[in-house]
Amino acid sequence: MVALSTTPPQQPSSTTTQDGTISTLHPDILQTHILTLLDGPTLAATACASSELYALSTEDKLWRNICTSSWPSINDPTVSSIISTFSSGHRSFFSDSYPLLHHHHHSSSFLTTSTEYLVSAVDIYYKDVAIFSKVEKNETLTDWFKCSPFRVDLLEPKEFVQTLIQYQTGEKDSFVKQLEENMTLSWILIDPKRRRAMNLSSGRPVSVQRHWLTGEVVVKFATIMAGDGGEKEFVECGVMVCCGEKEGGEMEVREISMGMEDMEGRNLTGRESLVVLQEAMERGERRKGKCGTEGKGRYEEFVERKRERKERKQKMEKVLDMVCIVTGITIFVSSWSFILFR
């Protein structure tokens, strides 16, 4: 997790440099020419070096620039307004949203709270260039949300997002590999009431497949979270990005959706999803993955557990079938024996 201290470090008031102390540099020089060049984790580490650097490194303007450059979607006025209510503004938001999310232990003592709505801030990148950004607001209080399968769709059925990426129809395997290597996604879910956020994306795709019928390429991102036991021991939060070819040979994005499944492959309802999401948001760790492979590794482990669970269930069903068959034959034979030999 990116630890962002809320109190200045108890160290000497100056940090030694080659020519004396850092206090000899004007604060404007530090902020304008040095601190603005740092990324989030480095800026957080810098704030721990001295009380002077803490004061300079916790300026909200620095963190706002880092957040908006990382996630263009949060420039939306709705998201900006919500972030302003966080305890330390954009610094707190970055600490919450910096991937990856780790939440593998469910706590029975965790209490959920009702929230009026959730906000999704989504950005899709190709070769580190944003090709799609959108903010979606989903209410959570109606019976329809609570009882229906949880799903967030960012595009209407006939809505497409045009890109300048060339769709390589003649090299199908090459294009699938190209998307797997170059497409990344950020899906930040924000709870305005709790003033917390988390990134639900694995960063890089966990799978990229071409649909056998339509020829469209489906790119999947996923985060595995702890459920509340049973078939919900672990829960998959999956994001699907469907890409196709438009006239002119360029790629267009045709579907962007997010949903949640348990280990039986059943879609979670809004009520069930809210319980899992709120606990993950509140108690999940945030830390950087290794070269984008950690999220994929967790997903593959989850798929393997699902496979093993399915095999155990099938074996148990076969045993029950055999018991039923043997019981039926026994009853049949006993009945005829009683009739014939009484």
Side-chain angles (χ1 to χ4, degrees):
M1 180 176 180
V2 181
L4 302 180
S5 175
T6 56
T7 57
Q10 300 300 316
Q11 297 185 15
S13 59
S14 61
T15 301
T16 302
T17 64
Q18 186 176 0
D19 298 324
T21 63
I22 200 169
S23 59
T24 59
L25 292 175
H26 195 280
D28 288 344
I29 296 177
L30 283 171
Q31 283 192 325
T32 306
H33 299 284
I34 299 177
L35 298 182
T36 54
L37 302 177
L38 305 181
D39 59 11
T42 307
L43 185 60
T46 302
C48 299
S50 72
S51 57
E52 291 180 353
L53 285 175
Y54 176 87
L56 295 173
S57 301
T58 54
E59 285 288 333
D60 191 65
K61 185 169 91 171
L62 288 172
W63 289 99
R64 183 174 65 248
N65 292 338
I66 290 174
C67 289
T68 54
S69 62
S70 301
W71 308 299
S73 59
I74 70 170
N75 284 303
D76 184 276
T78 300
V79 179
S80 298
S81 176
I82 296 172
I83 293 176
S84 67
T85 67
F86 280 40
S87 58
S88 297
H90 287 82
R91 192 163 65 98
S92 295
F93 180 79
F94 181 88
S95 178
D96 277 354
S97 305
Y98 188 66
L100 293 171
L101 177 71
H102 290 245
H103 181 244
H104 288 172
H105 302 286
H106 168 69
S107 174
S108 57
S109 62
F110 180 77
L111 299 176
T112 60
T113 58
S114 61
T115 183
E116 185 177 349
Y117 61 92
L118 296 174
V119 176
S120 296
V122 184
D123 299 284
I124 300 177
Y125 310 85
Y126 185 81
K127 293 185 177 179
D128 297 326
V129 177
I131 61 174
F132 174 85
S133 295
K134 186 173 182 179
V135 171
E136 185 77 8
K137 184 176 176 180
N138 300 97
E139 56 78 31
T140 60
L141 297 179
T142 64
D143 293 336
W144 181 87
F145 170 83
K146 295 177 181 178
C147 300
S148 300
F150 178 73
R151 181 182 172 94
V152 180
D153 287 291
L154 298 186
L155 299 178
E156 297 296 328
K158 294 185 179 181
E159 183 181 2
F160 306 128
V161 177
Q162 298 181 355
T163 71
L164 298 178
I165 304 169
Q166 289 299 313
Y167 194 91
Q168 301 173 5
T169 54
E171 304 176 10
K172 295 183 179 181
D173 294 337
S174 174
F175 185 63
V176 168
K177 185 177 180 180
Q178 183 178 335
L179 288 180
E180 184 175 10
E181 293 176 349
N182 297 305
M183 180 176 283
T184 55
L185 176 140
S186 168
W187 189 303
I188 300 176
L189 191 70
I190 308 169
D191 187 339
K193 186 172 183 179
R194 286 179 175 267
R195 298 170 186 171
R196 295 300 302 271
M198 63 179 173
N199 202 322
L200 295 174
S201 174
S202 52
R204 294 192 174 277
V206 296
S207 72
V208 183
Q209 297 179 345
R210 189 179 293 274
H211 194 279
W212 66 273
L213 181 61
T214 64
E216 296 175 334
V217 178
V218 180
V219 186
K220 183 174 185 178
F221 303 82
T223 292
I224 309 303
M225 296 177 284
D228 57 4
E231 67 273 10
K232 296 196 292 292
E233 178 184 2
F234 289 99
V235 172
E236 173 195 333
C237 179
V239 178
M240 309 296 290
V241 180
C242 183
C243 305
E245 181 186 10
K246 70 170 185 176
E247 294 183 7
E250 295 173 340
M251 187 192 81
E252 62 183 9
V253 180
R254 298 176 178 176
E255 178 185 340
I256 307 170
S257 61
M258 185 262 284
M260 301 186 70
E261 291 185 358
D262 61 20
M263 298 191 71
E264 297 289 340
R266 181 183 66 88
N267 292 321
L268 270 63
T269 64
R271 181 187 287 108
E272 294 169 332
S273 299
L274 197 58
V275 172
V276 175
L277 291 171
Q278 285 191 338
E279 182 176 0
M281 189 177 295
E282 193 70 30
R283 299 190 175 182
E285 298 180 40
R286 281 80 164 173
R287 59 176 183 258
K288 187 175 181 180
K290 299 177 181 178
C291 301
T293 60
E294 191 170 347
K296 185 175 183 179
R298 280 190 240 149
Y299 171 75
E300 291 174 347
E301 182 182 348
F302 175 78
V303 171
E304 180 63 20
R305 288 191 180 190
K306 284 178 65 176
R307 186 189 63 79
E308 293 174 353
R309 187 185 185 92
K310 184 177 180 180
E311 289 180 353
R312 289 196 302 267
K313 186 176 180 181
Q314 289 175 343
K315 289 180 180 179
M316 185 171 282
E317 289 175 348
K318 287 181 180 179
V319 171
L320 290 175
D321 288 343
M322 289 300 297
V323 170
C324 291
I325 291 172
V326 172
T327 302
I329 292 173
T330 303
I331 293 173
F332 178 79
V333 172
S334 300
S335 300
W336 277 102
S337 298
F338 176 77
I339 293 172
L340 295 175
F341 298 105
R342 64 177 179 173

